[in-house]
Amino acid sequence: MRRPDQQTTTRPTPDAAPGPTPDTPPAEATRPGPGVLPSGDLTTEAALAPYLRRQAAEFLRSLRLHHEHSAPADSGGQDAAAATRALRRSARRISGCLHTFRAALDPLWADQLRAELAWLSGILAREHAYADRLTRLVEALHQLSGPALPAARGVRAAGDGATSDAQGRAALGVGAARAGALLERRLTLARTRSHSAALQALGSSRFHAVADAVALLASDVPLAPGPAGRTAEALLEPAEHAEQRLLTAVAALPPADTEPYNEAQDAAWHQTRLLLRLHRYAHEVVLGATDPALTGAGHALDLHRDAVEAAGAAAAAARTPRIAPATAYALGVLHADQRHEVEAARAVFRETWPYTVALSAS
């Protein structure tokens, strides 16, 4: 499953020199040498506990910034959005590590906090997801209704003449404006509701309980009782299991020649994206930083998720009762465009995935 000239395992080499664990967000981390932490220091107290404490501190710092920039007198909406992203980033990392290294922690505490952090991250993600989806779809409509349609996204069959092409472009131009207005109404309403839900969640007793639990985590990490959960194997085995699950999921992905409109295959790609995220977090715990070889593949899977959700939004809008035929036509073309973007993201993933043997098995 592994390419012989590239290390995939999160198990550090025993002769590696010790190095500091970066406090910067993983997206900005530099590539570590194989084995940032020597195996003798790879214990829950030396690696996992400090990592969780750092992420908890980042969570609390982001929460403070979010409160500051969300005040009515503060006009910096971008600062509030950046603080929300940082809050979600630290919540995801804490939750992912609680999932992967559950055996090394107090299992009841880990399960409860992981569920609450997943709830919080999901609540905070929706508003920005709707905003990004609307921007993506409106920009795609502008491109599709321009002076020339890309061949891969054309609405005419091969062999049709210029007259048919002009008619199709004219029909798309008429429907694009109405389709854009319909999408804006639907997604803006969904974003507004998500914003209200996020504000309500951040003021709820449930959220304050989560914040209190994270504040305690910043000073005390509940580890599993007994010495067995504190050895290097208590971290290495779960990390390698997370890696193996990822490689298995990649090997099981549909091959490149499958139908791009087969939406039943999207779930396998979404699962791979989640497993890649868990592997990256485990890599951060064991080796001290992210694996830069997986940056491109992770970005491709993010684009895949965005295109799938945008295509679903276009299809849902097309099912609106009593819309004009030109509007439905433009939404159909938009849906096809986003499904082609789905396939393009899958192609980028296959090109950037560093372990070609795993992909060839599919």
Side-chain angles (χ1 to χ4, degrees):
M1 298 290 289
R2 302 186 178 113
R3 201 169 68 188
D5 61 340
Q6 190 161 10
Q7 177 191 10
T8 66
T9 181
T10 49
R11 184 181 292 271
T13 54
D15 56 346
T21 302
D23 291 331
T24 56
E28 302 172 1
T30 56
R31 181 184 181 94
V36 172
L37 292 173
S39 58
D41 292 339
L42 190 59
T43 62
T44 51
E45 290 93 340
L48 180 59
Y51 180 87
L52 288 173
R53 285 195 293 266
R54 283 195 305 273
Q55 295 303 325
E58 179 62 26
F59 180 97
L60 298 174
R61 182 163 47 248
S62 302
L63 180 59
R64 176 178 56 82
L65 292 175
H66 183 274
H67 286 329
E68 291 176 358
H69 295 299
S70 298
D74 195 305
S75 59
Q78 293 183 350
D79 292 333
T84 301
R85 286 193 296 269
L87 189 64
R88 290 178 51 227
R89 181 173 58 217
S90 56
R92 288 196 307 266
R93 278 165 171 76
I94 296 172
S95 179
C97 289
L98 296 181
H99 173 79
T100 300
F101 301 106
R102 179 179 181 273
L105 301 164
D106 181 338
L108 180 60
W109 167 83
D111 291 342
Q112 291 177 344
L113 183 55
R114 179 167 63 91
E116 293 302 288
L117 288 173
W119 162 78
L120 176 62
S121 181
I123 286 287
L124 296 178
R126 291 172 191 164
E127 176 186 356
H128 301 286
Y130 284 124
D132 293 343
R133 197 170 307 155
L134 177 59
T135 300
R136 180 189 184 95
L137 289 171
V138 170
E139 290 179 351
L141 274 175
H142 284 317
Q143 294 177 358
L144 290 169
S145 60
L149 287 175
R153 303 171 181 172
V155 297
R156 62 187 177 92
D160 286 351
T163 301
S164 177
D165 179 57
Q167 291 174 347
R169 190 177 297 112
L172 181 59
V174 171
R178 296 177 180 176
L182 175 60
L183 288 168
E184 185 169 3
R185 287 196 302 271
R186 292 173 60 92
L187 294 176
T188 300
L189 177 60
R191 179 186 180 185
T192 301
R193 289 174 174 172
S194 298
H195 179 72
S196 299
L199 291 179
Q200 184 177 3
L202 291 174
S204 66
S205 59
R206 182 178 183 181
F207 170 74
H208 288 298
V210 175
D212 290 343
V214 175
L216 291 176
L217 177 61
S219 59
D220 180 32
V221 178
L223 300 175
R230 301 172 186 262
T231 63
E233 291 302 317
L235 294 183
L236 293 176
E237 290 182 0
E240 291 175 348
H241 179 64
E243 177 190 85
Q244 189 57 48
R245 289 182 63 197
L246 169 63
L247 295 176
T248 302
V250 171
L253 288 174
D257 57 352
T258 54
E259 172 62 41
Y261 295 100
N262 188 346
E263 298 178 1
Q265 297 175 351
D266 294 343
W269 290 87
H270 293 330
Q271 179 67 10
T272 300
R273 175 177 170 272
L274 295 177
L275 292 176
L276 176 56
R277 175 180 289 176
L278 291 176
H279 169 64
R280 287 175 53 235
Y281 298 163
H283 198 282
E284 291 173 11
V285 171
V286 175
L287 295 183
T290 56
D291 183 1
L294 296 175
T295 300
H299 181 62
L301 291 177
D302 289 340
L303 292 177
H304 178 274
R305 185 269 320 271
D306 294 343
V308 167
E309 294 179 346
R319 292 191 292 268
T320 303
R322 296 184 298 277
I323 60 174
T327 305
Y329 173 73
L331 290 170
V333 174
L334 181 60
H335 174 266
D337 171 76
Q338 292 304 302
R339 291 306 304 183
H340 280 291
E341 292 295 327
V342 169
E343 186 59 28
R346 294 177 181 179
V348 172
F349 174 82
R350 294 185 181 98
E351 293 172 359
T352 56
W353 178 250
Y355 315 120
T356 55
V357 175
L359 274 179
S360 65
S362 63

